[in-house]
Amino acid sequence: MGLAGLPDMRPVIYIISDSIGETAELVARAAASQFNHGNVDIRRVPYVTHPEEIPEIIEEARGFPSIIVFTVVLPELRETLLREAARHDIPAVDIMGPVMAALSRVTTATPKLEPGLMRKVDEEYFRRVEAIEFAVKYDDGKDPRGITQADIVVLGVSRTGKTPLCMYLAHKGIKAANIPLVPEVPPPEEIFNIPPHRLIGLVIDPGKLLSIRRERLRTLGLPADADYANQERILKELAYAEEIMRRAGCSVIDVTNKAVEETAGRVLEIYYRGKRYAAETS
C-alpha cells in the first residue's frame, strides 16, 4: 500500500506557481532525487493568479499520493492554497513564504508582491549579455550584417568614441553597431535605409580630435606627424562624415568634451522618442 492507504502509485509532485514555476521545480527535483532515484511525476501548474483556480488543482491532486510545492507571492493565493491542501490532507510546501517572512524581519523594505520578478531580472541580464556580444561582434564595421539587426547604428570618424558608446548602450540592453566613416571607403548602403532615431552620427571639434589622435599615436609609439593626426586630413574626414550623415538623415551629436554617459543619455533619448513616435503613427 502507498501513501494514506492508497494502492502503490507513483508519487506526484504538483508545482504551483504564479509565474512559470522553475524555482519550485528545481527544489522538488533535488528533493525527489533522494528517494528511489527521483522516481516521481512532476506536474507543473504555472501562472495561477486567482484563488478560484486552486480547488480544481487540489481536486486533481486528491487522486494520487501527492504533495504540493508552490511559489506564490500574493498572500490571498498562499492562504487559499494552504487552506485547501490542509482540508484534503495534502502536504503543501511553501518555498517563498518563509524566506520572505525572514527577510521582512531584517529589512525595512516592503516586498513588491509581484509574480515573476526573478524571471524578469534573468531576462534583463541575458538581454544585456546578448547586447554586449553584439557590440563586440559588430564593432568598427567588422560585419555590415549587423546594421540591419542593430537597435542603434553609430557613425563617425576614428576616435569619436563609437566603441565606448556602443558598449555603454549594450549594458543598457541596447544592441548597437558602429561604422567608421573614411573618405576612401564607401559606407554600407544599408545605413541609408535606417530610421533616423536608430542612426546616430558623432561629430567633434577638429582641434580636440587632433589632440586625441596625437595622444593615441604617442601611446602606440608611432610618429606624431603621421597622416592620421594631420589637421588637413582630419578636416577632410569630418567634412566627408558630415556629408554622409546629412544624406542618411541621422541624428547628429557633438561629442566634444562630453563623457560617454552624457552622449549615451542623449542617444537613448533620441532612440526612445523616435520609437514611441513610430509606434503611435504605425
Side-chain angles (χ1 to χ4, degrees), residues 2 13 70 76 78 99 105 107 117 183 216 220 234 246 271:
I13 302 177
F70 66 93
E76 186 180 4
R78 186 187 301 116
V99 180
R105 294 177 59 185
T107 179
L117 274 182
R216 176 63 173 165
L220 294 174
I234 285 174
R246 185 193 62 77
Y271 173 68

Side-chain angles (χ1 to χ4, degrees), residues 49-194:
T49 55
H50 298 288
E52 295 80 10
E53 299 173 69
I54 301 297
E56 184 179 347
I57 301 168
I58 298 296
E59 184 62 32
E60 180 183 323
R62 288 180 60 198
F64 306 93
S66 63
I67 70 168
I68 292 170
V69 178
F70 66 93
T71 52
V72 297
V73 297
L74 298 176
E76 186 180 4
L77 266 179
R78 186 187 301 116
E79 290 164 9
T80 302
L81 184 48
L82 287 170
R83 184 179 65 250
E84 290 297 310
R87 193 159 70 91
H88 296 284
D89 199 28
I90 299 174
V93 181
D94 181 0
I95 301 295
M96 293 276 286
V99 180
M100 289 178 63
L103 280 172
S104 294
R105 294 177 59 185
V106 297
T107 179
T108 57
T110 303
K112 293 183 178 180
L113 301 180
E114 182 180 338
L117 274 182
M118 186 63 191
R119 182 170 178 82
K120 291 178 184 177
V121 171
D122 286 345
E123 287 174 350
E124 184 177 333
Y125 169 77
F126 287 115
R127 186 165 61 248
R128 286 201 306 270
V129 170
E130 185 180 1
I132 291 168
E133 291 174 347
F134 185 92
V136 172
K137 182 176 182 179
Y138 297 112
D139 180 47
D140 212 25
K142 291 174 185 173
D143 187 343
R145 288 176 298 181
I147 296 173
T148 57
Q149 301 171 31
D151 297 316
I152 292 173
V153 177
V154 179
L155 308 176
V157 301
S158 175
R159 311 313 296 177
T160 49
K162 299 185 300 299
T163 296
L165 174 61
C166 288
M167 291 305 297
Y168 188 95
L169 293 171
H171 280 87
K172 299 291 185 181
I174 300 292
K175 292 181 180 178
N178 71 80
I179 306 294
L181 296 178
V182 184
E184 293 77 17
V185 181
E189 284 298 317
E190 289 89 344
I191 69 169
F192 299 107
N193 298 315
I194 297 176

Side-chain angles (χ1 to χ4, degrees), residues 201-238:
L202 304 182
V203 297
I204 189 171
D205 176 76
K208 180 67 175 178
L209 183 56
L210 177 63
S211 175
I212 292 171
R213 288 191 176 183
R214 282 180 176 171
E215 178 60 22
R216 176 63 173 165
L217 290 174
R218 189 189 67 79
T219 59
L220 294 174
L222 298 173
D225 60 351
D227 192 43
Y228 179 71
N230 176 279
Q231 187 163 7
E232 185 177 339
R233 168 67 187 187
I234 285 174
L235 290 172
K236 178 181 178 182
E237 287 186 31
L238 290 173

